[in-house]
Amino acid sequence: MRSQVTEQLEVRVTEPSRLYELLDGAEAMLRQAAMPERYAGILVTRHEPGRYTLALSNTVPFGETREQILS
């Protein structure tokens, strides 16, 4: 049984120079949440410029990060 963890984070970027810093931080938080049971990878979705969601996903192998762009 999985403990309750944060499975999705939203990142909004207003300073383009901080994009990778913010995405890396969110990815690290989700990777830590998935670590105990090694059950999911991370899916990064760009919804529009400056708005991203990062989510644990069973469709992504543990230890991997995949990206998709909706706009």
Side-chain angles (χ1 to χ4, degrees):
M1 178 178 190
R2 224 180 326 144
S3 61
Q4 188 171 355
V5 295
T6 299
E7 294 190 0
Q8 180 170 318
L9 298 170
E10 182 170 1
V11 173
R12 290 189 179 257
V13 180
T14 56
E15 297 175 46
S17 63
R18 296 195 61 211
L19 174 63
Y20 294 111
E21 171 192 350
L22 296 171
L23 290 176
D24 287 347
E27 183 179 5
M29 290 174 66
L30 288 174
R31 191 171 307 284
Q32 193 70 24
M35 188 66 72
E37 295 184 32
R38 299 174 173 244
Y39 69 92
I42 299 171
L43 180 63
V44 180
T45 303
R46 179 183 136 169
H47 297 273
E48 58 192 41
R51 182 173 165 249
Y52 300 81
T53 54
L54 292 84
L56 294 179
S57 174
N58 291 331
T59 64
V60 179
F62 174 77
E64 292 186 22
T65 300
R66 297 204 178 141
E67 301 174 12
Q68 66 179 353
I69 298 173
L70 297 182
S71 66

